[in-house]
Amino acid sequence: MKTFLKAYAVCLILMEVFIFFGGWMLFDLRGTGIYRAGAVIALILALVLPVFLLAGCGAQKETSAGSGNVIKVGFAGPLSGASGQVGASCYNGALMAFNERKAELEEKSGCTLEFVTNDDQSDPTVAVTIGQKMVSDPDVLIMIGHCNSSCTISSSAITCPAELGMVTGQSTNVDVTDRGLKGILRVCQRDDFEAPATARFCKDSLGIQTIFLVNDQQAFGAGQCEAFAAEAAQIGLDVVANEGIVSNEVDFSAVVNQIAAANPDAVYYGGNYPEGSLLLKQIRDKGITSIYVGSSGVDTSELVNIAGKENAAGAYYISSSPAFDSSAVLQEWVDRYQQTSGLAADGYAIYFYEAAAVALESLSNAIDAAGGKPTRAQVVEAMANVEITSITGTFQFDEKGDNINAKAYAYEYLEAFLMLNVGSWYPDDLSHSTIYPDVTYSDKGYLQLQEYDMTEAGIQNYCFLPAVANQLERICRFNY
């Protein structure tokens, strides 16, 4: 409609020019040459130019994929600040997937593919700016990110209405996909799946009766604790408190003193690793022996580096990723990741690799449908039906954009500094089972062990042990 009105206005102006030049003289042989010529030119422009304007504007909508032969894939994550280590994992995982498919997609689209990097600093206001920046560049056809739920929610409120699709690898808050936006996919689990499964794990596997919840008052952490508390109430797990800490702060003595006074069986932390690791350290420094259970936000070896080896021993955390030595395919991916990035692989790296794999598969399908460079709308349409089998499994999405095959895994830091996989949960019934397809629902099962060398080099060796040692029976009861 706006385009038509503009063209109509141009038409009226040109008709006025026609009249000014004495348009009636066009049909009067006595008219002077200059007036007759001006009238002819004005009449032609008045009749023809609006047609071209309308045609051009109509074509503009069809070529909203941008100008030229460039396709840009946007990335956004916390590359600086307290969460910079996690951001580096997200970036390297996504970039690895991009590089693996770049040549293929360039050949079939006839375009040059570019990877556009953005640092959101874990700040939702910065994420909004990034969303606006990505929308304003018509060559950006899809985004990978963000990591923090609050950033993903803020940015996607800008990108999705502009038909710029987004795939996140680690934003679990329910509002990421519950707002009815088109063009948003999440490869990891939701808060209302991860947190209830964790509550069941705490009660049934660890035998916890009382638990103190701590959240970082951000979308991710607050959502985790809210969902945890709701499930705890249903299963008879006593939540003695749900207290918030300030993100980016370093002194949590106030809440640590409350934990000491409550003396709970366990402390559950919902939030990201910088604060979660410091909280664990300060709890242990205070002499508190309560079991520590962290959400998937602390899924990084940085927990050990910050909290210290002695404090990390016996701590549990949740991850989106299966154990790295659980399959030959995953083990091979870990080796490739470490070779290309120079960093140890972690849950953030693999799941942003998977997010990028989903995004690039959507882009590929849109290119096929368009026969070349697609529009953003065509990419979003392809996202709605994307399905891909990648490193950790098959990714399929419901109408909201949630991965219907998402899983959550629980790990423990052992005193010998082995990472022990104690089980996984499946979203259909929140049951606790092993990650192996041939071992399900038994009172004993295979345990995954990952040997960690706590140095700057990160993970050094991997081993698989079908262990059922008596001292580990308390964490391998799969008979819910």
Side-chain angles (χ1 to χ4, degrees), residues 43-345:
L43 179 60
I44 292 173
L45 290 174
L47 296 176
V48 176
L49 185 58
V51 175
F52 281 103
L53 286 172
L54 284 171
C57 293
Q60 181 181 0
K61 183 173 183 179
E62 292 302 315
T63 59
S64 60
S67 58
N69 61 343
V70 175
I71 293 176
K72 297 179 182 179
V73 176
F75 166 85
L79 300 178
S80 63
S83 297
Q85 181 69 31
V86 159
S89 294
C90 298
Y91 167 79
N92 283 296
L95 182 61
M96 180 177 172
F98 174 84
N99 287 333
E100 288 177 353
R101 296 203 66 177
K102 181 176 185 289
E104 170 209 342
L105 297 180
E106 286 182 334
E107 181 178 358
K108 72 183 332 186
S109 68
C111 299
T112 299
L113 259 68
E114 296 180 5
F115 192 79
V116 182
T117 305
N118 300 277
D119 177 12
D120 64 28
Q121 304 168 43
S122 298
D123 187 335
T125 58
V126 176
V128 169
T129 302
I130 290 172
Q132 294 167 339
K133 173 187 172 184
M134 293 293 93
V135 167
S136 67
D137 186 344
D139 289 323
V140 179
L141 299 191
I142 196 164
M143 284 189 65
I144 304 161
H146 296 243
C147 177
N148 302 85
S149 291
S150 55
C151 289
T152 301
I153 291 169
S154 299
S155 182
S156 59
I158 304 296
T159 60
C160 288
E163 296 185 318
L164 176 55
M166 180 183 294
V167 185
T168 177
Q170 200 64 32
S171 296
T172 61
N173 187 275
V174 296
D175 286 342
V176 169
T177 52
D178 279 0
R179 293 167 296 160
L181 295 177
K182 187 178 180 181
I184 181 79
L185 298 179
R186 164 176 30 212
V187 300
C188 61
Q189 71 279 4
R190 293 164 54 103
D191 283 348
D192 55 4
F193 161 54
E194 176 188 326
T198 307
R200 289 176 178 240
F201 168 69
C202 288
K203 183 175 187 295
D204 298 336
S205 284
L206 302 184
I208 293 169
Q209 297 299 316
T210 60
I211 193 163
F212 193 111
L213 309 186
V214 182
N215 72 85
D216 63 359
Q217 302 187 72
Q218 301 297 310
F220 167 63
Q224 286 280 338
C225 285
E226 181 180 348
F228 188 108
E231 181 67 16
Q234 295 294 318
I235 63 176
L237 175 58
D238 183 15
V239 174
V240 298
N242 184 2
E243 294 294 331
I245 59 175
V246 178
S247 183
N248 295 321
E249 290 293 323
V250 296
D251 181 4
F252 306 127
S253 56
V255 72
V256 169
N257 289 334
Q258 293 181 51
I259 294 170
N263 191 29
D265 294 337
V267 175
Y268 172 76
Y269 173 71
N272 294 311
Y273 79 91
E275 296 81 13
S277 304
L278 284 172
L279 177 66
L280 173 58
K281 182 180 188 304
Q282 292 173 29
I283 286 173
R284 295 294 181 250
D285 289 347
K286 184 75 172 178
I288 299 171
T289 59
S290 303
I291 296 172
Y292 177 91
V293 181
S295 63
S296 56
V298 300
D299 178 12
T300 169
S301 59
E302 282 298 293
L303 181 140
V304 176
N305 295 332
I306 296 173
K309 294 180 182 180
E310 295 78 10
N311 294 329
Y316 294 85
Y317 73 91
I318 308 304
S319 175
S320 303
S321 173
F324 288 148
D325 56 353
S326 60
S327 73
V329 173
L330 187 51
Q331 178 63 72
E332 190 273 336
W333 178 88
V334 169
D335 294 338
R336 285 192 291 115
Y337 176 83
Q338 293 183 180
Q339 290 171 3
T340 58
S341 70
L343 299 173

